[in-house]
Amino acid sequence: PGTFSASMKEWEDLETMSGDNGIECEGCENKCDAKKYQSVSTLPSVLNVCLRRLEFDFQTLTRKRVTADFEVPSRITVGTGLGGKEGRGEYELNAVMVHSGSANGGHYYSYNRTRAPDGFGGRIWFKCNDSITTAMAGSEVERALKGQGRNVYMLVFVRSGVDEETPVPDDLREGVEEK
């Protein structure tokens, strides 16, 4: 199965762009060799990871679902800068969105973890599926995801140390009613 760390490494890899794939220089208007990379510049409190589970098939001119199994980690470490070698942050899995169906339609549901402790050293998970919400133990979620790895399309991680007392940033507060 695919792993989160392998996917992050592939996302962060330095790409050499040369020849026809080079960058067009505004000064000389020629294609020039260049290196391109992506990195996390700052570590957010909440990290949303959308897995690329749809591809366009240029042979058939249709969208296809990627059905390769994906290992869902419960904890990750993310670094900033080139190759993630600078600041580092620890994150815990907080929600998983799952899609079943084809590239053209299907059904979505999610597993969501409460931020409040359950009193037994863990946190309560809920499976939200249309109008039915079911409480689940973390071990049940792990078992359920083992068979659903090919259908996972989004992961939500919360940075360790972020708790219920962490204030909502001003730019997100608009439209949120405090209770």
Side-chain angles (χ1 to χ4, degrees):
T3 65
F4 182 83
S5 58
S7 295
M8 277 300 287
K9 183 182 177 333
E10 184 179 323
W11 181 77
E12 292 177 328
D13 273 351
L14 193 63
E15 179 183 349
T16 300
M17 303 177 75
S18 60
D20 287 342
N21 195 30
I23 302 295
E24 191 168 317
C25 175
E26 291 177 13
C28 68
E29 297 184 9
N30 290 323
K31 295 258 184 177
C32 298
D33 292 351
K35 295 192 183 299
K36 177 179 93 169
Y37 73 94
Q38 303 174 104
S39 67
V40 175
S41 60
T42 58
L43 297 173
S45 299
V46 177
L47 179 66
N48 294 293
V49 179
C50 187
L51 305 173
R52 208 174 85 196
R53 305 303 271 178
L54 294 175
E55 291 180 345
F56 189 77
D57 184 334
F58 288 98
Q59 300 287 333
T60 62
L61 301 177
T62 58
R63 288 189 302 172
K64 300 225 180 217
R65 250 184 99 216
V66 175
T67 57
D69 207 1
F70 189 85
E71 188 178 300
V72 178
S74 59
R75 294 179 180 275
I76 60 170
T77 301
V78 176
T80 60
L82 180 58
K85 292 182 172 59
E86 295 173 23
R88 300 185 83 60
E90 302 290 324
Y91 288 82
E92 294 179 80
L93 184 65
N94 219 59
V96 178
M97 274 54 89
V98 179
H99 174 262
S100 59
S102 72
N104 298 312
H107 181 71
Y108 296 89
Y109 58 94
S110 66
Y111 295 97
N112 304 283
R113 190 177 75 155
T114 61
R115 292 179 72 191
D118 65 3
F120 301 101
R123 297 196 175 162
I124 300 169
W125 281 87
F126 291 95
K127 180 179 181 181
C128 302
N129 190 351
D130 291 336
S131 62
I132 300 169
T133 300
T134 310
M136 301 179 78
S139 58
E140 290 178 282
V141 173
E142 285 178 30
R143 272 196 307 278
L145 290 175
K146 285 210 188 302
Q148 294 297 318
R150 66 180 44 100
N151 295 322
V152 170
Y153 80 96
M154 188 165 181
L155 305 171
V156 178
F157 293 93
V158 174
R159 191 165 181 187
S160 298
V162 172
D163 58 24
E164 300 255 348
E165 302 304 316
T166 301
V168 175
D170 290 338
D171 60 334
L172 296 178
R173 187 173 300 282
E174 187 176 314
V176 175
E177 182 181 322
E178 300 260 353
K179 294 190 180 200

